[in-house]
Amino acid sequence: MAKDTANELRIVGTRPDRPDGLDKVTGRARYGADISAAGLLHGAVVRSPHAHARIVKIDASKALALSGVKAVVTRADFPTGLTGEAWDLQENTMAGERALYDGHAVAAVAATSAQLARDAAKLIEVEYEILPHVTDVDAAMAPDAPIIREGAADHSVPEGLHPNVVRYIEFGHGDLEAGFAQADIVREHQYKTEAAHQGYIEPHACMGQMGADGKGEMWVCTQGHWFIRKMCTQVLGLDASQLRVTPSEIGGGFGGKTTIFMEPLSLALSRKAGGRPVKIVMSRSEVLRATGPTASASMDVKIGMTKDGKITAGSATFRMQGGAFAGAPVDMALYCAFAAYKVPALQHVGYDVLANRPKAAAYRAPGSPMAAFAVESLVDEMCTELGLDPLEVRVKNAAQSHETSSFGPKFGVIGLNETLAATQAHPNLSVPLGPNQGRGIASGFWFNHGGDTSVSMALGEDGTVTVSIGTPDIGGSRASMAMMAAETLQIPYDNVRVNIVETGALGVNEPTHGSRATFATGKATVEAAQSMIVEMCKRAAAKWGIEPEAVEWRDGAAHPAGPNAGEYPPMTIGEIGAAMSNTGGPIAGHHESVPAGVGESFGTHVVDVEVDPETGRTTILRYLVVQDAGRAIHPAYVEGQYQGGAVQGIGWALNEEYVYDDMGRLQNPVFLDYRVPVASDLPMIDTVIVEVPNPGHPYGVRGVGETGIAPPLPAVANAVAAATGVRMRHLPITPSKLLSAIKASKNG
Amino acid sequence: MKYHCPKTFADAAQIAADATGVIRYLAGGTDVLVQMRAGMVTPDDMIDLKHIPGVKEIVQNADGSWTIGVAVAGAELGAHAGFCADYPGIVEGLELVGSTQVQGRATLTGNLCNGSPAADSVPAMIAAGAVAHVVGPNGARDVAVADIPVGPGKTSLTKGELISAFTIPARGAQGGDAYLRFTPRTEMDIAVVGCAVNLTLDGDRVASARVAMGAVAPTVIVMDQAADAIIGTTLDPQALDTMATIVSGAVKPISDKRGTAEFRTDIAGVLAKRAAKIAYDRAKGTK
Amino acid sequence: MVKIVLWSGLRRFTDGTLEFETAAPTLGRAMADLVAQYPGLGPIFDQGVSVAIDGDIVPPNPAMALPDGAEVHFLQQMRGG
Amino acid sequence: MSKIHITTKVNGEEVEFLADPRDTLLDCLRDQLELTGTKEGCSTGDCGACSVTVDGTLVCSCLMLGVEAQDKQIETIEGMAEDGELHPLQRKFIEHAALQCGFCTPGILVAAKALLAKNPDPNETEVRYWLAGNLCRCTGYDKIIRAVMDAAAEMRGAA
């Protein structure tokens, strides 16, 4: 059995070098665009410059006349008759009758060089009839809004709503009116956030090859290659088993690489070009225009609070657009909205709304940052009004283990109390602040996902172990899997090699998403190791002629136990490996399941800012992340998740946004104007890892990857309010907006 | 696209004059390569100026003035102690163009000829009274840097003309300059507003001054009235406020993705005050 | 007996009732019984739901046994990141 | 479209390739010389993933034409470890967990090496501003800055 207390662990909780470190500091690691093959063609995609337009005609004759141009595909090359989410994916891959957003793919071309493919793409003539468009979520719900697609709503939507409302969410508990009646103050405000992009530095890239026999190969940067397989084959009408997908190293994803964009185009082009491999690498502007940003949100929140800071009731009505397809994370936003609080009466209402923007993809704790911004801003406003300490109010109302959550079911073991206590104890809270400086505090929450998980593990002839997993390593997860395998097998960390294997080599795996890799793949790795231990004990028992149950595994060896203890010398894993051919053949372990026992994670952030009152620019002075990890397998990579999440949230709070012009065209599709934080914008990001073990994981792991992006949005807004006296309810808090608000407050 | 490496400016001008299609000059390349990859421009002829002798030189002339070659990159200008001491404002303007990496390539010439009203190195060049030496099929002429840009993306240079070098006047005693810009991030942005101030002192009083503002009009603009407001003063708070009011009253910015007209108007005055103070301190030798 | 709790948005399909007691041995049977009683739930369940059994959010496996005394919450399908 | 024959030195080795005049140095390194350690993140000089040094100067290889490489000395990430021995920066990046996805890492290492060549004892602010053109979306920069400062300290001690 796995050890379950920290002081018995030898490897878990230490900070070994990651197994892929050498490859990644020497340039040897191969990412999506780093592949080549004999006969390689390069693909380029023609994209709509219009937010909404009927495609009248596509004429590729000039492109095809260029020497070296091998194939052009349009929607006519795709199968028809798809429905539901499969149709959405196909339509997003390549526009059909209408282009639905600026950047929507309308044709693709393959040629013998990337330069030639780009030249050819420019020669493909597309005739459009421009249609009315809408990009703002509130405008998209207004009665006169152009209808983006009739009949797109699912069964959750009550009658009488605009056809652009495609999903309706409503849940809650308790007597709302009674709750508000018990409050001393009831406040209600509207909050807005703009769409932000995941901003991974590696643009999407793939190489697809498919012959006339329908058998295909794909190399792709993705968070989940089985998702790529499923989606590509759905969109192209192929059998899943006929496409083998090999994941490259992945240059960041944050949820944005859990779905398909141009991947099916490489296969379609390859098939049309006689089976030659086709590589497509997106430009940065294609990434920003056509891959998943997250939703923009418009949110009404109402909270009732007593004078001593008890929250008596709350309601949240969220509207989010996630582009021209269903899928804005309004449901998840609502699930997270009040998760940090124990509130007797809550109501949640959500609208998933279509708009002429790119199809939203998941982005780190989808929905949670917007929800946190709205709820945690309002709680802060009410604390200020009542003269209460915002951290104490959070302690007073904190959600508790084994009690009903804001979203319905009871929580299991959660670590919010411990997180808040660690925050209160941190020295950053007692640093004195100067003029124009302010401190902001906010909490956040995210779930942890199980999901389809397959792991296999094989013993080598020398007693070293190979682990095959299906969740791509974005942030050091090879290290944590190797650590958990080594811990369970009680062998050295260096004796384990973890490989992320292609779709043909394992059962289905969901992507590295939902903060699941270390939890789910980790749990399956431990299970696989345990099944291998059972087999190794059997081999030892057979040699010794005793019952397998009379053998125990410790220190990387089989030991006779019970009445036989000490009777035979232990058999090490190396001896078992060396002998396995003669003791029954190869030894391997494997595990397939949807792991249960997920562990949610709460975090609390504290930020100090300084605002230049003459320019409205906000500077982050210091930043603290406190979050429950359950147990940190590799603490350095847990800290890295906290720090990275915090900085993405800071970017969203201050500068990142999708800016559309009157024509619905994205105005800032380059990193110069889509302003992710740069090194000089930031201080060090202090972290505290709280460890309240998740009883559902053998080592206590919770999902840690996502929670950290939620608190920064409200924490920064709360700090700005403390520094300036001005409450910003619409992110990002750009200097322009903040200066204008400061001026208005002085004049008012 | 044809790639040319002329060895003289006359040859470069001739190639440009003979060209029938789209031409681009290549100094640092940090604008033109971006435009090429984005499909905004596809040159038929690319004329690389870096093989012409002298284009990488920074020379102080006998009269104290400076001659700067057209291919001198930001990192090279920033490493030149003598020039940095005389014109820190020009250096800081050029050094704000892009990242450390971009500094390895970006030039004053390219920043000027790209024609962006937000070009960071242009206000300080104009405030300093810099002159561009222009060669062309019809011979050479000198043009004030202020007269090169005529609108966004447009210059007064005619077909076949190109800049061969800049001359920046002698610093003289008790002079200083400064450039400040506002960007949402600390680095890597295009100026929302930029402001350069170049001044000389007579004792504690401002003897002469030039104020140039970027990103508040179709071209960088010189604000004589703003300069007048500080000439003769010790740059006391009242003089600074007067200058700021004049600046904010005179700018004619647009609203775009980088900032609203109202915001630009507000911070133009703020930056002018701050830049003037830095220039003043530099002229005094206190900073 | 097992307690079933639906999200409040389903009120319009269930004549206002959101909590049910059932003796169904499995999740699938419990869902089928609900749909038999309130056919409007059928398309909703077909679209996909998330299920929490005594707080543990699990895939809606129809064969899953429902332990006596369990509390089963239905949630609108969760989508991860 | 005629290509131009270029001879240059990359990581100390003389190399030759044929460049389309429109190809960037980055295109040539990756596609002609198969040196794919240098990454393309934006092609606009805004992310720094393509950082290399040319004659000792740090540049974005996406902002330089391949044809400009004639007779230059180019250093890329592939040349950073010498004789199989990691550069202190490379070692410190692994030790400090200064990379998550690792995509920005080659560019940051090349840029940091150029910084330390110029300034062996940079303070935190100097490191942050020098690396402002190297975007990292995973780490929040904290561990990167620490790794660079620690490598600088080690190199000063070793010198």
Side-chain angles (χ1 to χ4, degrees):
Chain A
M1 279 305 291
K3 305 293 175 73
D4 59 4
T5 59
N7 55 12
E8 287 179 72
L9 299 170
R10 298 170 310 130
I11 297 169
V12 166
T14 64
R15 301 178 180 227
D17 289 351
R18 61 191 285 172
D20 51 338
L22 185 69
D23 285 353
K24 287 180 176 167
V25 300
T26 55
R28 199 161 64 204
R30 291 205 307 165
Y31 293 81
D34 299 342
I35 187 94
S36 192
L40 182 67
L41 299 177
H42 298 263
V45 180
V46 180
R47 298 183 181 278
S48 169
H50 305 296
H52 195 192
R54 197 169 69 82
I55 298 167
V56 180
K57 199 173 98 184
I58 301 175
D59 181 356
S61 54
K62 284 182 188 161
L64 286 164
L66 282 185
S67 166
V69 171
K70 300 297 178 187
V72 169
V73 294
T74 66
R75 183 63 173 276
D77 296 286
F78 287 76
T80 56
L82 274 61
T83 57
E85 288 187 30
W87 184 87
D88 284 1
L89 287 169
Q90 188 184 52
E91 178 75 5
N92 193 43
T93 296
M94 183 71 86
E97 291 171 13
R98 288 178 296 149
L100 297 170
Y101 56 90
D102 167 33
H104 199 171
V106 296
V109 57
T112 49
S113 79
Q115 197 79 260
L116 183 60
R118 286 195 293 268
D119 290 343
K122 276 194 263 178
L123 293 175
I124 295 178
E125 292 167 0
V126 185
E127 190 185 325
Y128 297 98
E129 175 196 334
I130 295 174
L131 301 171
H133 74 276
V134 61
T135 54
D136 176 77
V137 61
D138 291 318
M141 290 175 73
D144 60 344
I147 296 168
I148 291 170
R149 204 165 63 249
E150 284 283 7
D154 76 10
H155 297 285
S156 64
V157 181
E159 281 175 29
L161 291 171
H162 192 286
N164 289 344
V165 178
V166 293
R167 278 193 309 152
Y168 174 81
I169 291 94
E170 185 196 321
F171 63 94
H173 63 254
D175 185 335
L176 204 65
E177 291 315 310
F180 284 126
Q182 284 162 17
D184 293 309
I185 61 168
V186 177
R187 295 291 176 264
E188 181 172 16
H189 287 294
Q190 186 171 91
Y191 300 85
K192 289 186 173 187
T193 61
E194 293 303 324
H197 196 275
Q198 295 81 350
Y200 31 79
I201 310 300
E202 182 196 27
H204 295 261
C206 69
M207 183 178 78
Q209 184 277 322
M210 174 154 285
D213 57 0
K215 291 185 171 61
E217 298 279 342
M218 177 165 285
W219 163 271
V220 58
C221 66
T222 178
Q223 291 175 245
H225 34 305
W226 278 268
F227 267 30
I228 295 284
R229 184 179 77 166
K230 179 175 75 177
M231 293 173 182
C232 282
T233 52
Q234 277 180 349
V235 162
L236 295 166
L238 304 167
D239 293 341
S241 58
Q242 296 304 324
L243 179 64
R244 185 168 70 154
V245 184
T246 304
S248 69
E249 293 301 327
I250 171 171
F254 316 108
K257 291 179 184 166
T258 56
T259 184
I260 54 166
F261 296 102
M262 77 306 175
E263 290 83 359
L265 302 181
S266 71
L267 295 168
L269 285 167
S270 174
R271 194 165 49 182
K272 221 168 168 179
R276 287 175 70 170
V278 176
K279 179 157 101 171
I280 303 181
V281 180
M282 279 197 186
S283 69
R284 178 54 51 182
S285 73
E286 287 183 287
V287 171
L288 287 167
R289 285 169 71 205
T291 70
T294 188
S296 63
S298 166
M299 302 169 285
D300 300 318
V301 179
K302 182 177 176 184
I303 290 176
M305 196 183 271
T306 62
K307 269 185 260 179
D308 61 351
K310 196 82 195 152
I311 298 174
T312 58
S315 75
T317 301
F318 290 180
R319 299 162 293 274
M320 292 189 188
Q321 68 71 31
F325 304 89
V330 62
D331 44 358
M332 301 311 292
L334 289 165
Y335 290 146
C336 296
F338 288 100
Y341 298 100
K342 187 170 75 173
V343 185
L346 285 173
Q347 187 190 40
H348 307 76
V349 174
Y351 302 87
D352 180 358
V353 185
L354 301 188
N356 293 111
R357 296 204 195 197
K359 186 179 195 299
Y363 180 23
R364 206 169 199 151
S368 188
M370 300 84 141
F373 172 61
V375 171
E376 291 292 85
S377 289
L378 183 54
V379 168
D380 193 71
E381 291 184 54
M382 295 175 77
C383 290
T384 304
E385 182 179 344
L386 293 169
L388 300 170
D389 178 285
L391 205 43
E392 277 168 22
V393 167
R394 285 173 174 83
V395 171
K396 182 178 284 223
N397 294 286
Q400 300 295 322
S401 300
H402 309 302
E403 293 189 9
T404 299
S405 68
S406 66
F407 48 90
K410 288 190 174 69
F411 278 120
V413 175
I414 55 172
L416 179 57
N417 291 339
E418 292 80 354
T419 300
L420 290 166
T423 309
Q424 283 177 310
H426 197 276
N428 279 20
L429 273 92
S430 47
V431 177
L433 296 174
N436 302 314
Q437 298 182 353
R439 179 165 294 147
I441 288 164
S443 291
F445 169 78
W446 187 248
F447 295 90
N448 181 199
H449 182 55
D452 291 329
T453 310
S454 308
V455 167
S456 81
M457 189 176 292
L459 181 62
E461 302 86 335
D462 58 355
T464 62
V465 172
T466 309
V467 184
S468 298
I469 64 170
T471 40
D473 180 353
I474 313 189
S477 60
R478 281 184 185 90
S480 53
M481 301 313 153
M483 291 169 77
M484 284 184 272
E487 185 77 57
T488 307
L489 294 166
Q490 299 177 51
I491 60 175
Y493 168 74
D494 290 336
N495 287 9
V496 180
R497 172 158 179 163
V498 177
N499 296 315
I500 293 135
V501 298
E502 43 98 348
T503 51
L506 271 185
V508 169
N509 278 276
E510 273 193 35
T512 300
H513 71 162
S515 296
R516 70 181 283 272
T518 310
F519 168 75
T521 306
K523 191 168 179 176
T525 298
V526 172
E527 298 275 0
Q530 281 166 346
S531 70
M532 205 164 84
I533 288 171
V534 168
E535 181 60 27
M536 291 190 292
C537 288
K538 247 192 234 170
R539 303 287 173 100
K543 176 163 185 194
W544 294 330
I546 63 177
E547 289 301 309
E549 293 73 31
V551 178
E552 70 172 15
W553 188 264
R554 62 184 148 84
D555 300 330
H559 295 255
N564 306 303
E567 204 163 312
Y568 311 99
M571 259 183 99
T572 65
I573 193 168
E575 290 163 350
I576 295 169
M580 66 187 167
S581 303
N582 300 325
T583 62
I587 295 175
H590 66 102
H591 182 81
E592 296 78 23
S593 73
V594 176
V598 293
E600 303 91 340
S601 176
F602 284 95
T604 300
H605 293 200
V606 183
V607 57
D608 292 352
V609 304
E610 180 168 333
V611 175
D612 181 337
E614 290 186 318
T615 66
R617 183 153 91 186
T618 302
T619 302
I620 307 288
L621 300 174
R622 61 188 70 75
Y623 202 100
L624 169 66
V625 180
V626 182
Q627 189 184 323
D628 177 16
R631 178 164 288 124
I633 301 297
H634 192 307
Y637 288 102
V638 172
E639 291 161 3
Q641 290 297 319
Y642 292 4
Q643 292 164 334
V647 168
Q648 287 185 323
I650 290 168
W652 202 343
L654 289 178
N655 282 314
E656 292 180 38
E657 63 176 319
Y658 266 45
V659 181
Y660 282 92
D661 68 7
D662 294 346
M663 305 294 289
R665 289 178 182 155
L666 184 62
Q667 288 298 287
N668 55 339
V670 287
F671 271 145
L672 187 62
D673 291 312
Y674 184 83
R675 301 187 187 94
V676 306
V678 301
S680 50
D681 292 339
L682 297 160
M684 293 298 185
I685 308 294
D686 303 325
T687 57
V688 175
I689 300 174
V690 174
E691 296 192 308
V692 177
N694 167 22
H697 185 279
Y699 294 117
V701 167
R702 295 177 186 276
V704 301
E706 295 176 88
T707 299
I709 196 176
L713 283 70
V716 169
N718 294 345
V720 167
T724 62
V726 170
R727 175 58 61 176
M728 301 301 286
R729 300 195 185 96
H730 185 175
L731 297 184
I733 306 173
T734 61
S736 193
K737 265 195 254 173
L738 182 54
L739 187 65
S740 170
I742 291 171
K743 274 171 62 187
S745 78
K746 281 183 184 155
N747 297 337
Chain B
M1 186 182 90
K2 274 201 201 125
Y3 173 71
H4 309 270
C5 292
K7 297 288 189 294
T8 68
F9 280 104
D11 288 352
Q14 196 59 52
I15 294 165
D18 293 346
T20 53
V22 176
I23 63 151
R24 282 291 182 277
Y25 298 105
L26 184 62
T30 55
D31 285 313
V32 69
L33 263 70
V34 173
Q35 292 158 3
M36 281 165 62
R37 184 51 63 97
M40 289 156 63
V41 61
T42 308
D44 298 295
D45 293 280
M46 175 69 83
I47 306 170
D48 188 343
L49 305 177
K50 290 192 292 297
H51 298 265
I52 300 172
V55 295
K56 281 277 183 193
E57 286 177 10
I58 304 166
V59 177
Q60 185 159 27
N61 304 305
D63 64 351
S65 66
W66 293 89
T67 298
I68 313 282
V70 291
V72 171
E76 292 157 345
L77 197 63
H80 195 287
F83 188 79
C84 288
D86 272 8
Y87 285 103
I90 292 177
V91 175
E92 65 203 359
L94 184 57
E95 287 190 329
L96 280 169
V97 178
S99 61
T100 317
Q101 287 83 343
V102 170
Q103 283 305 302
R105 302 267 300 166
T107 65
L108 291 168
T109 330
N111 202 219
L112 177 65
C113 294
N114 189 46
S116 165
D120 282 309
S121 70
V122 177
M125 288 281 278
I126 290 176
V131 171
H133 304 290
V134 174
V135 295
N138 302 319
R141 61 188 179 115
D142 286 352
V143 184
V145 167
D147 296 330
I148 299 279
V150 293
K154 293 195 173 69
T155 71
S156 58
L157 300 176
T158 59
K159 183 169 159 71
E161 280 194 326
L162 71 156
I163 295 173
S164 61
F166 294 106
T167 294
I168 296 151
R171 174 70 282 176
Q174 279 211 297
D177 74 340
Y179 174 76
L180 281 181
R181 67 169 185 181
F182 183 82
T183 56
R185 290 183 294 189
T186 50
E187 280 278 328
M188 302 304 293
D189 285 348
I190 299 288
V192 179
V193 175
C195 176
V197 175
N198 182 36
L199 49 75
T200 60
L201 301 183
D202 180 5
D204 287 344
R205 296 199 176 268
V206 177
S208 69
R210 258 163 89 86
V211 177
M213 305 289 307
V216 291
T219 61
V220 173
I221 51 173
V222 179
M223 297 199 158
D224 290 333
Q225 276 185 302
D228 290 344
I230 56 170
I231 291 171
T233 74
T234 57
L235 220 61
D236 54 281
Q238 200 188 336
L240 285 169
D241 285 344
T242 306
M243 178 185 67
T245 306
I246 291 168
V247 166
S248 289
V251 295
K252 299 211 165 14
I254 56 164
S255 290
D256 66 9
K257 62 192 170 188
R258 294 182 182 130
T260 62
E262 181 198 357
F263 179 66
R264 288 187 156 114
T265 303
D266 287 341
I267 60 169
V270 173
L271 290 184
K273 283 203 280 190
R274 293 180 181 182
K277 274 194 268 191
I278 297 168
Y280 183 88
D281 288 342
R282 284 173 175 165
K284 291 277 286 180
T286 52
K287 270 185 191 167
Chain C
M1 295 296 277
V2 170
K3 183 177 165 189
I4 303 246
V5 184
L6 301 181
W7 67 84
S8 62
L10 297 182
R11 203 183 282 114
R12 68 183 196 273
F13 300 115
T14 62
D15 306 330
T17 312
L18 294 173
E19 295 190 11
F20 304 87
E21 293 279 320
T22 177
T26 63
L27 180 65
R29 183 62 188 273
M31 290 171 75
D33 288 352
L34 278 172
V35 172
Q37 198 178 351
Y38 304 109
L41 293 177
I44 298 283
F45 286 171
D46 291 346
Q47 273 173 204
V49 293
S50 291
V51 178
I53 298 186
D54 290 331
D56 202 3
I57 297 164
V58 292
N61 176 359
M64 191 176 344
L66 298 178
D68 192 36
E71 196 172 289
V72 179
H73 280 258
F74 284 87
L75 299 107
Q76 272 172 284
Q77 191 173 26
M78 293 185 158
R79 292 145 196 266
Chain D
M1 199 158 296
S2 59
K3 294 191 174 183
I4 297 175
H5 178 258
I6 299 296
T7 306
T8 189
K9 263 195 180 162
V10 178
N11 301 324
E13 284 177 30
E14 190 160 293
V15 297
E16 295 173 81
F17 57 88
L18 289 176
D20 177 315
R22 285 193 287 165
D23 282 345
T24 63
L25 174 60
L26 176 61
D27 295 331
C28 296
L29 288 171
R30 291 178 53 84
D31 299 339
Q32 307 290 327
L33 301 175
E34 297 184 323
L35 291 169
T36 56
T38 306
K39 304 301 182 197
E40 179 158 10
C42 69
S43 71
T44 53
D46 296 312
C47 81
C50 66
S51 298
V52 300
T53 60
V54 177
D55 290 345
T57 300
L58 181 67
V59 301
C60 284
S61 57
C62 76
L63 293 185
M64 176 170 161
L65 293 177
V67 292
E68 293 181 81
Q70 179 69 35
D71 297 329
K72 303 285 186 195
Q73 305 260 4
I74 294 161
E75 296 286 333
T76 73
I77 185 64
E78 286 90 348
M80 198 157 167
E82 286 182 44
D83 305 324
E85 182 85 14
L86 290 184
H87 187 280
L89 278 162
Q90 293 174 306
R91 235 181 329 99
K92 291 296 180 189
F93 265 58
I94 298 175
E95 271 175 43
H96 283 267
L99 58 142
Q100 285 180 31
C101 80
F103 190 80
C104 69
T105 308
I108 292 184
L109 286 168
V110 168
K113 187 182 169 198
L115 168 64
L116 300 186
K118 194 179 137 110
N119 178 1
D121 189 13
N123 64 31
E124 183 190 330
T125 303
E126 288 167 336
V127 177
R128 287 186 179 278
Y129 274 85
W130 182 273
L131 294 178
N134 288 90
L135 299 182
C136 169
R137 191 61 158 172
C138 295
T139 65
Y141 304 104
D142 181 302
K143 292 180 189 300
I144 291 172
I145 306 299
R146 288 178 201 277
V148 173
M149 307 272 295
D150 193 19
E154 185 187 293
M155 288 165 70
R156 285 195 306 276

